[in-house]
mmCIF file of all heavy atoms in Angstrom:
data_model
loop_
_atom_site.group_PDB
_atom_site.id
_atom_site.type_symbol
_atom_site.label_atom_id
_atom_site.label_comp_id
_atom_site.label_asym_id
_atom_site.label_seq_id
_atom_site.Cartn_x
_atom_site.Cartn_y
_atom_site.Cartn_z
ATOM 1 N N ALA A 9 15.280 -7.666 -25.137
ATOM 2 C CA ALA A 9 16.604 -7.942 -25.186
ATOM 3 C C ALA A 9 17.356 -7.346 -24.074
ATOM 4 O O ALA A 9 18.244 -8.034 -23.508
ATOM 5 C CB ALA A 9 17.179 -7.260 -26.452
ATOM 6 N N ALA A 16 20.661 -12.380 -17.436
ATOM 7 C CA ALA A 16 21.887 -13.317 -17.659
ATOM 8 C C ALA A 16 22.983 -12.779 -16.717
ATOM 9 O O ALA A 16 23.650 -13.543 -15.974
ATOM 10 C CB ALA A 16 22.325 -13.370 -19.033
ATOM 11 N N THR A 22 27.075 -11.388 -7.924
ATOM 12 C CA THR A 22 26.929 -11.741 -6.466
ATOM 13 C C THR A 22 25.504 -11.265 -5.997
ATOM 14 O O THR A 22 25.292 -10.135 -5.930
ATOM 15 C CB THR A 22 28.030 -10.989 -5.681
ATOM 16 O OG1 THR A 22 29.293 -11.322 -6.120
ATOM 17 C CG2 THR A 22 27.917 -11.310 -4.226
ATOM 18 N N GLU A 41 12.150 -18.912 18.018
ATOM 19 C CA GLU A 41 12.915 -19.461 16.886
ATOM 20 C C GLU A 41 12.663 -18.694 15.503
ATOM 21 O O GLU A 41 13.603 -18.283 14.841
ATOM 22 C CB GLU A 41 12.316 -21.011 16.586
ATOM 23 C CG GLU A 41 13.135 -21.547 15.491
ATOM 24 C CD GLU A 41 12.486 -22.950 15.260
ATOM 25 O OE1 GLU A 41 11.647 -23.442 15.947
ATOM 26 O OE2 GLU A 41 13.081 -23.684 14.407
ATOM 27 N N THR A 48 18.632 -13.171 11.662
ATOM 28 C CA THR A 48 19.816 -13.632 11.121
ATOM 29 C C THR A 48 19.740 -13.871 9.564
ATOM 30 O O THR A 48 20.719 -13.962 8.856
ATOM 31 C CB THR A 48 20.397 -14.915 11.754
ATOM 32 O OG1 THR A 48 19.469 -15.914 11.500
ATOM 33 C CG2 THR A 48 20.537 -14.621 13.222
ATOM 34 N N GLY A 84 19.451 -0.700 15.943
ATOM 35 C CA GLY A 84 19.197 0.646 16.464
ATOM 36 C C GLY A 84 18.275 1.566 15.724
ATOM 37 O O GLY A 84 18.339 2.806 15.784
ATOM 38 N N THR A 89 12.094 5.481 8.498
ATOM 39 C CA THR A 89 13.044 5.901 7.468
ATOM 40 C C THR A 89 14.472 5.236 7.528
ATOM 41 O O THR A 89 15.187 5.259 6.551
ATOM 42 C CB THR A 89 13.433 7.460 7.629
ATOM 43 O OG1 THR A 89 13.886 7.698 8.881
ATOM 44 C CG2 THR A 89 12.034 8.195 7.445
ATOM 45 N N THR A 179 2.139 -4.313 13.201
ATOM 46 C CA THR A 179 2.332 -4.281 14.711
ATOM 47 C C THR A 179 2.236 -5.742 15.298
ATOM 48 O O THR A 179 1.795 -6.732 14.655
ATOM 49 C CB THR A 179 1.270 -3.433 15.393
ATOM 50 O OG1 THR A 179 -0.038 -3.970 15.136
ATOM 51 C CG2 THR A 179 1.422 -2.077 14.828
ATOM 52 N N VAL A 219 -1.629 -3.487 25.238
ATOM 53 C CA VAL A 219 -1.476 -1.894 25.083
ATOM 54 C C VAL A 219 0.127 -1.683 25.035
ATOM 55 O O VAL A 219 0.907 -2.329 25.725
ATOM 56 C CB VAL A 219 -2.194 -1.243 26.280
ATOM 57 C CG1 VAL A 219 -1.476 -1.635 27.642
ATOM 58 C CG2 VAL A 219 -2.128 0.251 26.011
ATOM 59 N N PRO A 298 24.995 36.490 7.999
ATOM 60 C CA PRO A 298 25.807 35.593 7.219
ATOM 61 C C PRO A 298 25.373 34.181 7.331
ATOM 62 O O PRO A 298 24.581 33.903 8.211
ATOM 63 C CB PRO A 298 27.239 35.793 7.802
ATOM 64 C CG PRO A 298 27.002 36.224 9.258
ATOM 65 C CD PRO A 298 25.719 37.126 9.172
ATOM 66 N N ASP A 312 3.885 30.633 14.573
ATOM 67 C CA ASP A 312 2.332 30.538 14.597
ATOM 68 C C ASP A 312 1.930 30.090 13.345
ATOM 69 O O ASP A 312 2.451 30.431 12.330
ATOM 70 C CB ASP A 312 1.743 31.956 14.937
ATOM 71 C CG ASP A 312 2.079 32.960 13.798
ATOM 72 O OD1 ASP A 312 3.073 33.646 13.696
ATOM 73 O OD2 ASP A 312 1.074 33.122 12.937
ATOM 74 N N ARG A 337 -11.891 -12.400 5.052
ATOM 75 C CA ARG A 337 -11.274 -11.310 5.831
ATOM 76 C C ARG A 337 -12.060 -10.083 5.724
ATOM 77 O O ARG A 337 -12.529 -9.790 4.613
ATOM 78 C CB ARG A 337 -9.882 -11.098 5.473
ATOM 79 C CG ARG A 337 -8.867 -12.212 5.848
ATOM 80 C CD ARG A 337 -7.414 -11.821 5.379
ATOM 81 N NE ARG A 337 -6.535 -12.885 5.694
ATOM 82 C CZ ARG A 337 -5.357 -13.068 4.972
ATOM 83 N NH1 ARG A 337 -5.108 -12.246 3.942
ATOM 84 N NH2 ARG A 337 -4.540 -14.011 5.323
ATOM 85 N N ILE A 380 -7.954 -18.016 -0.963
ATOM 86 C CA ILE A 380 -8.089 -19.428 -1.275
ATOM 87 C C ILE A 380 -6.719 -19.955 -1.259
ATOM 88 O O ILE A 380 -5.638 -19.419 -1.669
ATOM 89 C CB ILE A 380 -8.589 -19.545 -2.720
ATOM 90 C CG1 ILE A 380 -9.951 -19.136 -2.840
ATOM 91 C CG2 ILE A 380 -8.459 -21.010 -3.284
ATOM 92 C CD1 ILE A 380 -10.562 -19.013 -4.309
ATOM 93 N N ALA A 396 -12.552 9.822 1.825
ATOM 94 C CA ALA A 396 -11.518 10.559 2.563
ATOM 95 C C ALA A 396 -11.652 12.034 2.295
ATOM 96 O O ALA A 396 -12.211 12.444 1.193
ATOM 97 C CB ALA A 396 -10.157 10.145 2.076
ATOM 98 N N PHE A 433 -10.906 -6.527 -6.991
ATOM 99 C CA PHE A 433 -9.589 -7.021 -7.359
ATOM 100 C C PHE A 433 -9.541 -8.577 -7.159
ATOM 101 O O PHE A 433 -10.267 -9.113 -6.497
ATOM 102 C CB PHE A 433 -8.416 -6.413 -6.600
ATOM 103 C CG PHE A 433 -8.545 -6.597 -5.236
ATOM 104 C CD1 PHE A 433 -7.855 -7.608 -4.535
ATOM 105 C CD2 PHE A 433 -9.215 -5.709 -4.342
ATOM 106 C CE1 PHE A 433 -7.970 -7.861 -3.108
ATOM 107 C CE2 PHE A 433 -9.224 -5.883 -2.894
ATOM 108 C CZ PHE A 433 -8.750 -6.960 -2.437
ATOM 109 N N GLY A 469 -2.743 41.158 7.151
ATOM 110 C CA GLY A 469 -2.745 39.864 7.827
ATOM 111 C C GLY A 469 -3.233 38.751 6.920
ATOM 112 O O GLY A 469 -3.354 38.863 5.806
ATOM 113 N N ILE A 484 -7.619 41.354 5.352
ATOM 114 C CA ILE A 484 -8.779 41.767 4.590
ATOM 115 C C ILE A 484 -8.564 41.321 3.100
ATOM 116 O O ILE A 484 -7.589 41.740 2.381
ATOM 117 C CB ILE A 484 -8.896 43.195 4.499
ATOM 118 C CG1 ILE A 484 -9.148 43.812 5.908
ATOM 119 C CG2 ILE A 484 -10.132 43.656 3.724
ATOM 120 C CD1 ILE A 484 -9.162 45.297 6.105
ATOM 121 N N PRO A 513 13.333 -26.858 -4.532
ATOM 122 C CA PRO A 513 12.752 -25.994 -3.577
ATOM 123 C C PRO A 513 13.574 -24.706 -3.048
ATOM 124 O O PRO A 513 13.064 -23.871 -2.458
ATOM 125 C CB PRO A 513 12.551 -26.964 -2.312
ATOM 126 C CG PRO A 513 12.489 -28.305 -2.995
ATOM 127 C CD PRO A 513 13.444 -28.235 -4.123
ATOM 128 N N ILE A 598 0.708 38.640 -10.222
ATOM 129 C CA ILE A 598 -0.769 38.825 -10.559
ATOM 130 C C ILE A 598 -1.243 40.254 -10.237
ATOM 131 O O ILE A 598 -1.122 40.727 -9.064
ATOM 132 C CB ILE A 598 -1.488 37.732 -9.845
ATOM 133 C CG1 ILE A 598 -1.098 36.341 -10.199
ATOM 134 C CG2 ILE A 598 -3.094 37.925 -10.109
ATOM 135 C CD1 ILE A 598 -1.882 35.215 -9.451
ATOM 136 N N ALA A 623 21.762 -9.846 -0.452
ATOM 137 C CA ALA A 623 22.369 -11.130 -0.074
ATOM 138 C C ALA A 623 22.610 -11.155 1.460
ATOM 139 O O ALA A 623 22.878 -10.137 2.194
ATOM 140 C CB ALA A 623 23.765 -11.235 -0.807
ATOM 141 N N PRO A 659 8.687 31.225 -20.302
ATOM 142 C CA PRO A 659 8.005 32.519 -20.586
ATOM 143 C C PRO A 659 8.616 33.135 -21.792
ATOM 144 O O PRO A 659 9.836 33.222 -22.071
ATOM 145 C CB PRO A 659 8.596 33.346 -19.327
ATOM 146 C CG PRO A 659 8.668 32.209 -18.208
ATOM 147 C CD PRO A 659 9.273 31.034 -18.952
ATOM 148 N N SER A 681 24.813 -1.122 0.365
ATOM 149 C CA SER A 681 24.918 -1.215 1.921
ATOM 150 C C SER A 681 25.640 -2.514 2.098
ATOM 151 O O SER A 681 25.561 -3.473 1.366
ATOM 152 C CB SER A 681 23.620 -1.242 2.625
ATOM 153 O OG SER A 681 22.982 -2.329 2.338
ATOM 154 N N ALA A 723 28.310 8.549 2.359
ATOM 155 C CA ALA A 723 28.147 7.233 3.044
ATOM 156 C C ALA A 723 27.848 7.579 4.460
ATOM 157 O O ALA A 723 28.352 8.501 5.072
ATOM 158 C CB ALA A 723 29.412 6.397 2.909
ATOM 159 N N GLY A 785 15.570 36.350 -0.192
ATOM 160 C CA GLY A 785 16.045 35.234 -1.020
ATOM 161 C C GLY A 785 15.779 33.901 -0.323
ATOM 162 O O GLY A 785 16.323 33.679 0.810
ATOM 163 N N PHE A 805 8.998 -9.690 30.540
ATOM 164 C CA PHE A 805 8.562 -10.641 31.461
ATOM 165 C C PHE A 805 7.299 -11.339 30.778
ATOM 166 O O PHE A 805 6.617 -10.812 30.017
ATOM 167 C CB PHE A 805 8.133 -10.060 32.810
ATOM 168 C CG PHE A 805 9.237 -9.321 33.418
ATOM 169 C CD1 PHE A 805 9.451 -7.939 33.410
ATOM 170 C CD2 PHE A 805 10.104 -10.094 34.152
ATOM 171 C CE1 PHE A 805 10.510 -7.364 34.026
ATOM 172 C CE2 PHE A 805 11.245 -9.414 34.895
ATOM 173 C CZ PHE A 805 11.435 -8.015 34.725
#
Side-chain angles (χ1 to χ4, degrees):
T22 303
E41 181 181 1
T48 65
T89 61
T179 62
V219 64
D312 66 277
R337 289 179 184 154
I380 296 175
F433 61 91
I484 302 171
I598 298 177
S681 75
F805 298 102

